[in-house]
Amino acid sequence: MTSQEIRQKFLDYFKSKDHLIVPSAPIVLKDDPTLMFSNSGMTQFKDFFLGYKTPTAPRIADTQKCLRVSGKHNDLDDVGRDTYHHTMFEMLGNWSFGDYFKKDAIAFAWELLTEVFGIPKENLYVTIFEGDASENLERDQDAYDFWKSHISEDRIINGNKKDNFWEMGESGPCGPCSEIHVDLRTEEEKAKVSGLELVNNDHPQVVEVWNLVFMEFNRKADKSLEKLPAQHVDTGMGFERLCMALQGKSSNYDTDVFTPLIAKVEELSGKKYTGVLENEKDIAIRVVVDHIRAVAFAIADGQLPSSGGAGYVIRRILRRGISYSYRFLDMKEPFLYKLVAVLQEQMGRFFPELEKQGTLVTEVIKSEEESFLKTIETGLIRVEKLIQQTIADNQKVLPTLEVFELYDTYGFPDDLTRIIAEEKGLTIDEEGFKAEKKKQQERSKADSAQKVYDWVTLEEKEENFVGYDTIESETYIT
Ligand code: ATP
Ligand code: MG
Ligand code: MG
Ligand code: MG
């Protein structure tokens, strides 16, 4: 099954269960004071849950373009180094606004995965909320009982508040969740360790695919929980991970979501992708094909790279891609812009904004590449000098102020400084670097004491809102 067919099957399934199918909201949020980018499917429905708007339908399903590089969800450091976290990814989702609840949400998810998509039941595990005494929250027995009718009890795992109680703001709707994990290891691997032990344990072939959130509480301003008058369902499934499971692959990058992009990088660079986890060239190729999607979709949705706010985040993602390909793929000339046509070919039918904005996207990326390539050489020379000086001084840690200057003044990605230093047996002072970043943000922002959440209630907004930049200022990617 191709990825296009998989996406369509998901939507068709929920359509057949009376869901209204809606388009993805833009990946860039223009009118949300708390968030720069959509980072989950529910972003566009926040006001339905908060009761500020009436839902357009009681049941909705879609695929949402998400970006997790800032705020509460920041996966950037994992991207390229693992095989299942992306900056930009699609989150397939179905929602019930005061309509069906746990029983149907679980039944739909199970039927879709095992019957429509045919994932063998013995490859699936689920988690449920184990309860939390400090909050007087009980174990999610209902979810357990509903799961029990589909899956054997030894595959239902208790999860703690961190993984299995969904809460995105200081107040507002929240509730327990149930995750579905798929075990894609070979039979031989499975014989060695039980999949049970690997769930939520960073194993690249035992991954979370779907999260079903049951919103049944409201967290009040005084932090106490009350039962909501109506109960809602909010689910999110990682599209690229689902494709990996259905296409029998062991990495998202081996699915047809990424293979055409990888083929183009191979053609342009003359380097072969071998899919090895710790190989620098392979990491660089994964970084490049991941980052081009994030940057292309952001620009197509109207966010140009720039020196502040969301534009700065996009510029840094692009620069990270350029640095990796410069260093590990020997690409010294602009080439990322050539991947846009491949992406368009592959995703333009479903996401027409890519078709419409293709020329702009290509040109913007090309000119960003040209200008950054001019400074990267200078950056590399500076890092090299810094390293020599540190070694000559008999030190093991690069001087923090210089490392920060490279990052701040020269726009040189700090993870690259880190990698180069490590190659020479040196490190950077992480705490000191963080402190410098914080100081810099404090210099340019009035007050960055705000916590970062994915939503705030109107009450909180009136009390606390001090501006968009401030709220996300702690979250600039590095
Ligand atoms: P993980 O534990 O793997 O980081 P998560 O619990 O943070 O995932 P959720 O917030 O529950 O993820 O999002 C719902 C689904 O979206 C996940 O089950 C997963 O399939 C997918 N997903 C989450 N983050 C990413 C990412 N960075 N790249 C690709 N898919 C993702
Ligand atoms: Mg995560
Ligand atoms: Mg998780
Ligand atoms: Mg989750």
Side-chain angles (χ1 to χ4, degrees):
M1 223 184 302
T2 65
S3 55
Q4 311 263 9
E5 289 163 349
I6 292 169
R7 188 195 289 114
Q8 198 55 51
K9 263 209 155 125
F10 174 90
L11 298 173
D12 289 346
Y13 174 80
F14 280 104
K15 196 170 172 194
S16 79
K17 304 286 177 194
D18 302 322
H19 288 63
L20 176 73
I21 309 301
V22 302
S24 170
I27 199 164
V28 184
L29 301 170
K30 287 293 181 202
D31 55 359
D32 190 324
T34 61
L35 201 61
M36 288 178 180
F37 305 104
S38 291
N39 61 10
S40 72
M42 59 69 72
T43 310
Q44 66 163 317
F45 304 120
K46 283 199 286 192
D47 286 349
F48 296 170
F49 291 122
L50 290 166
Y52 303 152
K53 274 192 193 149
T54 312
T56 35
R59 298 176 176 204
I60 290 182
D62 71 0
T63 182
Q64 173 66 48
K65 297 173 280 185
C66 294
L67 194 59
R68 291 198 169 180
V69 292
S70 60
K72 190 175 171 224
H73 293 288
N74 188 346
D75 292 336
L76 192 75
D77 285 343
D78 289 330
V79 176
R81 302 218 168 86
D82 77 13
T83 50
Y84 58 99
H85 279 100
H86 304 295
T87 54
M88 183 266 165
F89 63 99
E90 285 181 59
M91 196 186 283
L92 303 165
N94 59 291
W95 286 270
S96 152
F97 303 104
D99 192 43
Y100 62 85
F101 201 45
K102 291 180 196 179
K103 182 168 194 251
D104 290 334
I106 287 173
F108 288 156
W110 191 254
E111 182 179 53
L112 179 63
L113 291 181
T114 61
E115 282 170 38
V116 178
F117 285 134
I119 298 180
K121 294 178 184 174
E122 56 280 9
N123 285 354
L124 296 170
Y125 292 93
V126 300
T127 65
I128 60 137
F129 179 51
E130 66 187 1
D132 186 279
S134 69
E135 294 244 50
N136 232 350
L137 284 167
E138 284 170 15
R139 175 168 188 260
D140 193 351
Q141 191 60 40
D142 285 350
Y144 187 88
D145 291 339
F146 294 131
W147 278 122
K148 215 167 61 175
S149 66
H150 301 291
I151 190 169
S152 69
E153 288 180 65
D154 59 347
R155 289 170 170 267
I156 310 175
I157 306 165
N158 280 333
N160 59 20
K161 202 162 158 221
K162 184 179 120 311
D163 283 326
N164 284 80
F165 193 85
W166 182 90
E167 199 152 18
M168 283 241 172
E170 293 235 296
S171 59
C174 53
C177 62
S178 233
E179 301 165 338
I180 306 174
H181 296 251
V182 59
D183 186 349
L184 300 169
R185 294 172 304 156
T186 58
E187 290 310 315
E188 197 185 324
E189 286 297 316
K190 282 184 193 165
K192 289 184 203 155
V193 192
S194 151
L196 270 172
E197 289 168 37
L198 300 174
V199 166
N200 263 336
N201 232 343
D202 292 333
H203 189 289
Q205 266 100 57
V206 186
V207 297
E208 176 188 335
V209 280
W210 205 345
N211 191 5
L212 316 179
V213 181
F214 311 119
M215 281 191 226
E216 52 185 313
F217 298 108
N218 181 37
R219 169 91 59 195
K220 296 202 289 188
D222 67 4
K223 303 284 171 275
S224 64
L225 291 170
E226 67 184 0
K227 250 326 206 199
L228 283 173
Q231 301 168 324
H232 316 288
V233 171
D234 156 28
T235 86
M237 171 152 61
F239 172 62
E240 300 76 10
R241 294 184 190 181
L242 176 66
C243 291
M244 158 168 77
L246 298 183
Q247 295 181 355
K249 306 294 184 191
S250 54
S251 154
N252 287 6
Y253 295 92
D254 294 338
T255 67
D256 71 339
V257 176
F258 289 100
T259 47
L261 290 166
I262 292 178
K264 189 71 181 175
V265 176
E266 288 180 327
E267 177 200 318
L268 294 169
S269 69
K271 301 265 189 297
K272 199 96 199 105
Y273 180 64
T274 51
V276 177
L277 210 53
E278 273 153 16
N279 179 305
E280 280 165 347
K281 170 192 50 120
D282 290 338
I283 293 174
I285 292 179
R286 286 192 292 269
V287 163
V288 163
V289 297
D290 173 276
H291 289 13
I292 192 66
R293 288 167 26 105
V295 173
F297 273 104
I299 299 174
D301 278 347
Q303 185 56 64
L304 295 179
S306 69
S307 54
Y312 189 55
V313 175
I314 298 306
R315 173 168 282 164
R316 284 199 174 276
I317 297 176
L318 184 53
R319 287 182 169 185
R320 189 171 186 260
I322 300 170
S323 311
Y324 271 84
S325 46
Y326 183 97
R327 246 173 81 77
F328 303 118
L329 304 176
D330 297 325
M331 298 304 279
K332 316 279 182 201
E333 299 294 328
F335 82 107
L336 287 167
Y337 72 94
K338 293 182 183 160
L339 300 175
V340 176
V342 181
L343 193 61
Q344 255 180 321
E345 169 74 22
Q346 190 194 355
M347 300 186 82
R349 214 157 25 106
F350 197 81
F351 296 103
E353 61 276 19
L354 268 188
E355 290 288 339
K356 263 194 245 153
Q357 303 295 337
T359 313
L360 173 79
V361 174
T362 309
E363 277 168 13
V364 168
I365 294 179
K366 186 169 182 229
S367 90
E368 284 283 315
E369 283 189 271
E370 280 162 354
S371 71
F372 187 58
L373 282 165
K374 285 191 197 128
T375 60
I376 195 169
E377 194 67 50
T378 327
L380 285 172
I381 294 169
R382 285 189 156 257
V383 178
E384 204 49 55
K385 252 172 115 177
L386 216 54
I387 288 175
Q388 295 315 329
Q389 184 198 320
T390 310
I391 293 172
D393 293 346
N394 252 332
Q395 299 294 315
K396 284 273 172 216
V397 186
L398 296 185
T400 306
L401 282 179
E402 276 86 343
V403 170
F404 181 70
E405 188 192 23
L406 262 167
Y407 161 84
D408 190 47
T409 314
Y410 296 90
F412 196 73
D414 61 308
D415 55 352
L416 207 59
T417 308
R418 204 171 280 120
I419 293 171
I420 301 172
E422 278 165 12
E423 284 169 7
K424 303 279 161 68
L426 305 176
T427 57
I428 71 171
D429 168 14
E430 300 293 348
E431 286 308 309
F433 181 71
K434 245 195 239 156
E436 284 307 317
K437 258 170 67 180
K438 197 155 180 72
K439 266 196 251 165
Q440 201 272 355
Q441 281 157 9
E442 274 159 13
R443 278 197 295 273
S444 55
K445 307 286 176 329
D447 168 17
S448 57
Q450 280 272 351
K451 277 207 178 137
V452 181
Y453 288 112
D454 288 352
W455 69 21
V456 289
T457 55
L458 266 184
E459 243 180 308
E460 286 169 3
K461 226 179 254 183
E462 276 154 17
E463 247 173 60
N464 296 329
F465 182 56
V466 281
Y468 171 88
D469 281 350
T470 307
I471 292 184
E472 282 240 335
S473 64
E474 283 186 80
T475 66
Y476 283 172
I477 62 159
T478 54

